[in-house]
Amino acid sequence: MMRWVILAALLYCAPALAAPAEGWISHPGAAAVSGPIVLHFRRVLDLAKVPKALPVTVTADNRFILFVNGRHIATGPSTGTLAHWRTESIDLAPYLKPGRNVVAAAVWDFVRRATNGPPPAAGALPPQIAPIAQQSAGLGFRLMGKGVATGDGGWRVKIDAGHSAANGRAQVPRGRYYVASAPEVIDAAKADWNWTGAVEGSGWVDAVPVPEAANRTLVADPLPQQSFVPAAPGVVVRSDLAGDFPKHTLTVPANTHAHILLRREAMISGYPELTVSGGAGATIKLTYSEALYDTELKKADRDLVEGRQALGIFDTFMPDGARRSFMPLWWRTWRYAELDIQTGAAPLILESLHVHESGYPFQQVARFISNDAQLNKIWQVGWRTALIDAHETYMDSAYWEQLQYTGDTRLQMLISYAVTGDPRLARQAIEAFAESNTEGGLEQGAYPSRSNNVIATFSLAWVGMLSDWSMEQPDTSLIVRNLPRMRTILKWFKPWRTANGLLGKNPQWNFIDWAGPKGNNRDTFPAYGADGGSCLMTVSWLGALRQGAALEAAYGDRGEATADTARADEARAAIRAHCWDKARGLFADTSDLKPLSQHMNILAVLYDVATPEEATAILDRITVPGHGIDAPDDLYTATYYFAWYLVRAFEHAGHADRYPALLQTWRDLLALHYTTWPESRGETRSDTHAWSAHPTADLLGLVAGIRPAAPGYARLRVAPNLGDLTSLDAAAATPKGKVSVHYTIKGESLTAEIDRPPALPGEFVWKGQSHLLTSTHIRFVLPR
C-alpha cells in the first residue's frame, strides 16, 4: 500500500564507539568513500583434503553474497533489525576441493548518506538508495569458522570501483512513492572480473578490524536461504532490431540506439543476468516494469503493448569490449523488461539473458482444481502474488516498497498456512512487529524499517495475527511470550475515549482502508463527529479487545480477559447508542450519522455489535447483487484488501455460501490479464500486492471448506460452499499434514471424498448436517 510518510526521521545509526568485537572487518579506506559502496573480500584456503564438514556463520552490514571457488552459494543476512541481526549458517565443505580454494564475498552498504554532509532538514526527503526496510549500524563483514574466520587474519579486501547505486524514486513514473531496492550501475571497465578466482589481481589490501556497534546484536537466522532457480526470461514483443533475442544471440550495430521489449507470461521476482561481448563504450539500460503505460501514464489491459512504454527503475550496464555477464546485487520484480541500448564505435553482441527466480522457498502443498476455469485462475494468480511478495519478510509490494506492513502481512500469513503449512515467515513477522515499540506502546506500521511510520490501527491488526495463529498453529509459546506486548497495545487506546464512550482522534495515522472522499485521504477516513468520536475506530478497538480477551482466557491472565471484555462491552454499548442510523438500518461512521461506509458495518457484524437478526439485513444493504464486493453508491466501498473483512463478516453471520458471488470482483480483474493482483481499484500504483490475494486462502477455506475447528488446528472441519461448481479437487496444508477433498455433483447427489492425517480428527458438514470423519479416507454420498 502507498504510504505518505516523511522519511526524514531515519533510524540509521552510525557505528558505535565500542571496543573491536571478534570478527568484523572492512576496507581501511571505506570511511573516506561517500555514498553507496561495494566491497569484495577474499580468503585463500589451502587444503590437503576436503573436510567432511566446514560449518561457518556469516553476516554483513548491509548485505553479502558468498562465493566458494567462484560459485554463488549464499546470500544474506536476511532482513532483520539491529536488535536481531541475522547470521547465516552454511557448510562450505560441499564446495571445496583439495588444494587451493578461494572463499569470497561481495558486501555492500547502500544505507549510507549520498554525501558526508549533515542529514536532511526536518520534513525533507532524504536521498533514498537502500531499501527502507534495511537497517544498518555501519559497513562490515564477519565470517566465523575453522581456518577461515575473518578475525584470524588472511582476508583481503578491495573496493569495487565498477559498482554503484542510484535513487530509485527518481526513476519511477511521476516520482511515485518508491522505497525498495536501489537501481545499480555496473561499469565493466572499472570492475575486477576475476575477484573470486584463484589468482589475486591488483588493488587488494589486508582487511582491517572494525568496532562492533553496541546496538547490533547477532542472532541465528531462523529462515532458510532464499530460492535461486532458473526461470524463463520472456519473449520479444517489440524491437527496433531484427532477430529473436534471447532465444538467439543478436548483434547491435555500432553507433545505434535500439530498444528491445520483452514480456514474460507472468510477473516474477528474480535476478536478471545479461551476457554480452564487444560493445566497448556502449550503455545498456535494463528497465523493469510491472505493466506498460500510455502517454498519460495510465495502465489498461496488462497484455497491451501498442502505443505503450515500460517505465520504472532501471539498472545500467556499461560493457568494456570483453565477454561480460551483468547481474545486480539485489533481485528485481517485473513482467516487462526493456533493453535500451546505445552503442559507440563498436558493435555489441547480446549473447543471453538468464533469469534466476528468487523468494522465500515455500513448498506448495495445496491445490484448487475445479470445473470453473476462472476460479482456478483466481487461485493461481493469488498464489503467484503471495510468492512474489514473500522473501526474507512478507512484503506489501515486491516492486515499490518491499516492506512488511501489519495489515497486509496478516492476510499473507493465512495464505502461507493454507497453501504450504510453513509458519516460519509468519513467526518472524509476529516477533518483528512485537520488537518495534514507539509512541508509548504502539508498533511501527511496517517493520523492519528505518522510517518512523506509526499506524495505530495496524497495532490492532497485530492482535488479530495472534488470534489467527492461535487457531492455525499448535505452538502456544509464541502467544504466551507476546501477551505482555498485546496488553500494552490494547491499553494504549483507553485514554482516547470521549465522554460518550467512543474513541477520539489520536495523533497517529489511523489507516482503515483506502476509502473516504478521495479514496486515499488519511485526514478524513476514518471520520470523527462533532463530539470528537469515531464509531469506526471504536469498533476496530472493540474487535481487538475481544480477540485479546479470548487469548488471555486461554493462555494468560483471566483478570486481563475480564477487563478486556468489559471494555469491549462498553464500546459496543457506545456504538449502539450513538452510531445506529435507524432510518437506514446501518451503523454510521460517527455519531452525526454520517458518513456511511461498508467498513463500519462489516466490523459491526464481524464483532457482534449488530445482533444476529440485524446482521443479514446489514450485509444485504452494504453489497450490490452481481457486483462482487462493491457497495451502493452512497457508501464508502472497501478495497480488495478490506474485502477480506467483508468475507469474514459474511462467514460470521452464517452466510459463507454467498462467498462465491463476492468473487465476481476478481473475475472482472482477470479480463485485464493481471498475472498478480493489484493494490487498489482503477489506476493502481502496484500490480503485485498480496493483500488482494486472500481468495487463494478462502477458496480453500470456504469453497473447498477446509478449516480448523479448534485452537491449534486440533480438529478439522470440512464444510464446502460449492456454489455452481459441479466438481472440485482441492487440498490444504495443516500442521499435521495435508487434507485433500474431492467433490462431484451429479444430478441430485453430492459425492465427497476426504483424506485427512491420522492425528487430525474432524467432521464433514453439508446442508447443516455434521458427519464424523471416522477414518483417514472416507466417502459420502449425500443429497445435493
Side-chain angles (χ1 to χ4, degrees):
M1 58 188 294
M2 185 182 292
R3 313 295 184 194
W4 301 106
V5 183
I6 298 297
L7 297 177
L10 295 183
L11 302 182
Y12 171 74
C13 299
L17 297 176
E22 182 183 6
W24 285 94
I25 57 173
S26 184
H27 190 286
V33 177
S34 64
I37 186 171
V38 179
L39 298 182
H40 289 160
F41 292 90
R42 57 182 281 129
R43 171 73 155 80
V44 172
L45 181 63
D46 291 314
L47 296 173
K49 65 177 183 177
V50 175
K52 291 183 178 179
L54 181 51
V56 300
T57 60
V58 57
T59 190
D61 189 343
N62 305 162
R63 298 187 63 86
F64 72 84
I65 301 174
L66 189 67
F67 299 82
V68 175
N69 295 324
R71 181 176 176 182
H72 174 295
I73 66 167
T75 62
S78 65
T79 304
T81 66
L82 293 176
H84 293 86
W85 197 268
R86 313 294 189 188
T87 63
E88 310 298 320
S89 295
I90 301 159
D91 183 6
L92 300 186
Y95 312 101
L96 299 173
K97 61 186 180 182
R100 188 179 182 86
N101 294 269
V102 176
V103 181
V107 173
W108 64 97
D109 178 2
F110 291 171
V111 170
R112 53 176 53 202
R113 292 196 299 273
T115 70
N116 286 329
L125 184 70
Q128 177 54 43
I129 304 296
I132 204 68
Q134 178 69 60
Q135 296 189 9
S136 177
L139 175 65
F141 176 59
R142 183 180 188 271
L143 185 148
M144 304 303 291
K146 185 177 180 181
V148 290
T150 47
D152 294 342
W155 281 86
R156 304 274 283 169
V157 63
K158 181 179 182 179
I159 295 174
D160 183 356
H163 208 133
S164 188
N167 187 333
R169 191 164 185 181
Q171 297 180 356
V172 297
R174 290 177 177 161
R176 288 173 176 165
Y177 189 68
Y178 180 91
V179 290
S181 54
E184 296 174 33
V185 180
I186 303 176
D187 185 343
K190 298 178 181 178
D192 181 347
W193 291 93
N194 194 40
W195 67 276
T196 65
V199 179
E200 181 182 294
S202 62
W204 292 86
V205 298
D206 289 337
V208 296
V210 293
E212 168 64 294
N215 59 342
R216 182 171 56 198
T217 303
L218 301 184
V219 298
D221 189 353
L223 302 179
Q225 278 285 303
Q226 302 294 290
S227 63
F228 189 82
V229 296
V235 298
V236 174
V237 291
R238 187 170 63 211
S239 179
D240 295 332
L241 302 169
D244 193 16
F245 180 80
K247 284 187 178 180
H248 303 97
T249 61
L250 177 65
T251 299
V252 184
N255 301 309
T256 297
H257 189 194
H259 294 80
I260 303 172
L261 179 65
L262 297 101
R263 180 176 68 199
R264 285 182 35 82
E265 284 299 311
M267 200 82 70
I268 192 171
S269 286
Y271 295 86
E273 182 181 9
L274 178 66
T275 299
V276 304
S277 57
T283 298
I284 306 167
K285 292 181 180 178
L286 181 53
T287 299
Y288 312 95
S289 191
E290 294 176 300
L292 300 183
Y293 297 80
D294 66 15
T295 55
E296 297 180 353
L297 300 183
K298 293 182 178 180
K299 308 174 189 177
D301 186 317
R302 268 45 179 182
D303 279 355
L304 289 179
V305 174
E306 187 66 29
R308 295 178 174 272
Q309 57 186 329
L311 298 173
I313 66 163
F314 55 84
D315 292 317
T316 304
F317 307 138
M318 291 176 278
D320 64 349
R323 187 175 189 270
R324 304 299 190 198
S325 290
F326 296 94
M327 186 168 69
L329 297 168
W330 191 253
W331 49 266
R332 309 297 185 212
T333 298
W334 76 98
R335 187 180 177 209
Y336 290 88
E338 184 174 66
L339 290 162
D340 178 347
I341 305 164
Q342 177 65 63
T343 56
L348 172 72
I349 301 174
L350 301 176
E351 294 194 9
S352 65
L353 176 62
H354 295 290
V355 173
H356 310 276
E357 188 168 13
S358 187
Y360 186 89
F362 279 124
Q363 300 299 308
Q364 180 181 330
V365 173
R367 64 180 183 272
F368 186 94
I369 306 167
S370 74
N371 64 297
D372 186 329
Q374 284 193 333
L375 280 190
N376 300 343
K377 186 75 169 179
I378 289 169
W379 192 88
Q380 293 160 3
V381 171
W383 177 228
R384 183 182 301 115
T385 309
L387 281 175
I388 289 175
D389 285 340
H391 293 263
E392 297 161 355
T393 65
Y394 291 106
M395 295 180 175
D396 65 326
S397 56
Y399 190 100
W400 293 89
E401 297 187 44
Q402 298 177 3
L403 281 168
Q404 183 168 254
Y405 282 99
T406 324
D408 310 53
T409 298
R410 183 184 180 190
L411 277 55
Q412 292 169 272
M413 290 175 172
L414 294 171
I415 300 171
S416 302
Y417 299 152
V419 179
T420 75
D422 184 345
R424 288 175 290 179
L425 200 60
R427 184 192 305 272
Q428 165 276 139
I430 290 171
E431 300 283 28
F433 289 123
E435 177 191 324
S436 71
N437 194 335
T438 187
E439 302 297 335
L442 293 179
E443 297 172 346
Q444 292 287 349
Y447 209 69
S449 177
R450 298 193 317 280
S451 70
N452 185 37
N453 185 10
V454 184
I455 305 174
T457 45
F458 273 15
S459 291
L460 300 177
W462 180 81
V463 178
M465 283 183 187
L466 290 182
S467 179
D468 298 338
W469 178 279
S470 73
M471 284 299 294
E472 297 278 352
Q473 299 298 324
D475 179 11
T476 61
S477 65
L478 181 142
I479 299 171
V480 172
R481 68 174 169 268
N482 280 295
L483 287 177
R485 189 73 187 87
M486 181 188 77
R487 293 168 192 149
T488 303
I489 289 169
L490 293 176
K491 291 173 182 177
W492 187 91
F493 290 86
K494 184 179 176 181
W496 297 101
R497 288 185 295 184
T498 61
N500 63 9
L502 300 177
L503 283 185
K505 186 173 178 60
N506 67 66
Q508 308 307 326
W509 186 11
N510 294 299
F511 178 84
I512 301 290
D513 195 13
W514 291 128
K518 297 181 181 179
N520 63 355
N521 195 324
R522 62 188 292 173
D523 296 321
T524 59
F525 190 81
Y528 293 83
D531 60 2
S534 168
C535 306
L536 183 49
M537 280 297 296
T538 307
V539 75
S540 299
W541 183 44
L542 183 158
L545 286 167
R546 296 280 192 223
Q547 293 163 342
L551 294 173
E552 292 283 11
Y555 312 108
D557 186 323
R558 290 194 173 273
E560 294 282 356
T562 300
D564 286 343
T565 299
R567 283 191 283 269
D569 290 345
E570 291 167 1
R572 181 181 187 273
I575 293 170
R576 290 201 63 88
H578 300 289
C579 308
W580 176 248
D581 185 339
K582 186 176 181 180
R584 292 294 304 273
L586 294 171
F587 288 92
D589 288 16
T590 73
S591 60
D592 301 337
L593 301 187
K594 61 181 181 181
L596 294 171
S597 69
Q598 268 189 332
H599 308 76
M600 178 64 208
N601 290 280
I602 287 168
L603 298 184
V605 171
L606 180 58
Y607 299 139
D608 293 320
V609 175
T611 66
E613 294 74 24
E614 294 166 339
T616 299
I618 288 173
L619 293 172
D620 288 340
R621 293 182 186 117
I622 66 172
T623 52
V624 180
H627 290 267
I629 65 174
D630 290 354
D633 291 341
D634 58 344
L635 271 67
Y636 294 148
T637 193
T639 64
Y640 310 132
Y641 159 64
F642 209 84
W644 181 82
Y645 292 90
L646 176 63
V647 173
R648 302 284 73 76
F650 271 100
E651 182 183 18
H652 183 71
H655 298 299
D657 59 313
R658 294 172 62 176
Y659 176 65
L662 298 178
L663 290 172
Q664 183 60 46
T665 299
W666 281 265
R667 291 181 187 270
D668 293 343
L669 288 174
L670 289 177
L672 294 175
H673 297 105
Y674 282 101
T675 65
T676 48
W677 296 129
E679 176 180 14
S680 56
R681 301 168 186 261
E683 283 303 312
T684 180
R685 174 191 57 150
S686 166
D687 269 18
T688 310
H689 233 75
W691 74 0
S692 302
H694 49 85
T696 292
D698 282 332
L699 283 168
L700 300 174
L702 295 181
V703 176
I706 305 169
R707 298 294 293 274
Y713 224 128
R715 286 187 60 81
L716 169 68
R717 186 174 190 264
V718 181
N721 296 279
L722 299 177
D724 295 330
L725 294 180
T726 57
S727 81
L728 174 60
D729 178 51
T734 82
K736 295 180 180 178
K738 181 169 69 175
V739 173
S740 299
V741 297
H742 186 82
Y743 307 120
T744 305
I745 291 180
K746 288 186 178 180
E748 296 304 314
S749 67
L750 163 76
T751 301
E753 294 186 61
I754 302 168
D755 291 275
R756 63 170 175 85
L760 184 60
E763 62 177 340
F764 175 68
V765 180
W766 181 251
K767 301 296 183 183
Q769 298 296 312
S770 176
H771 309 268
L772 291 178
L773 301 178
T774 55
S775 62
T776 56
H777 174 82
I778 195 165
R779 183 173 184 266
F780 298 102
V781 179
L782 300 168
R784 178 178 179 179

